[in-house]
Amino acid sequence: MVCMNTNQIQALIGMLATFGLLVLMVLPSVIGIVRDRRIDRQIENAQKSSSRSTVPSTATWYAEGRRSKKLVSS
């Protein structure tokens, strides 16, 4: 049987309170990191799905035309 005296009980309560405060201080950071990683994965998935398109946009056609004109004139 484990018998604890008053000093041991106070030390245990102090350690639990300290641990509880540590958890409360670290928890928002952990939640933010998890949220950022989820958003990063969503952005990567969106970029992968948009890069699968094989038809270039109008802006790409225009830029390619301007580049080829510069090469010819220089």
Side-chain angles (χ1 to χ4, degrees):
M1 184 169 154
V2 176
C3 291
M4 297 179 74
N5 63 23
T6 306
N7 289 337
Q8 290 173 327
I9 292 173
Q10 287 178 349
L12 180 63
I13 291 171
M15 286 190 328
L16 290 175
T18 303
F19 182 71
L21 287 174
L22 179 67
V23 168
L24 285 175
M25 288 170 37
V26 171
L27 191 62
S29 296
V30 172
I31 291 171
I33 290 169
V34 169
R35 184 173 176 262
D36 285 348
R37 294 242 173 118
R38 180 177 49 89
I39 291 171
D40 288 344
R41 279 196 306 270
Q42 289 175 346
I43 291 171
E44 287 175 11
N45 289 339
Q47 287 175 346
K48 285 178 187 175
S49 66
S50 68
S51 67
R52 290 183 187 147
S53 174
T54 57
V55 178
S57 67
T58 305
T60 305
W61 283 101
Y62 179 75
E64 287 295 326
R66 291 192 46 87
R67 276 193 214 111
S68 62
K69 287 179 185 175
K70 284 182 181 178
L71 290 174
V72 170
S73 64
S74 56

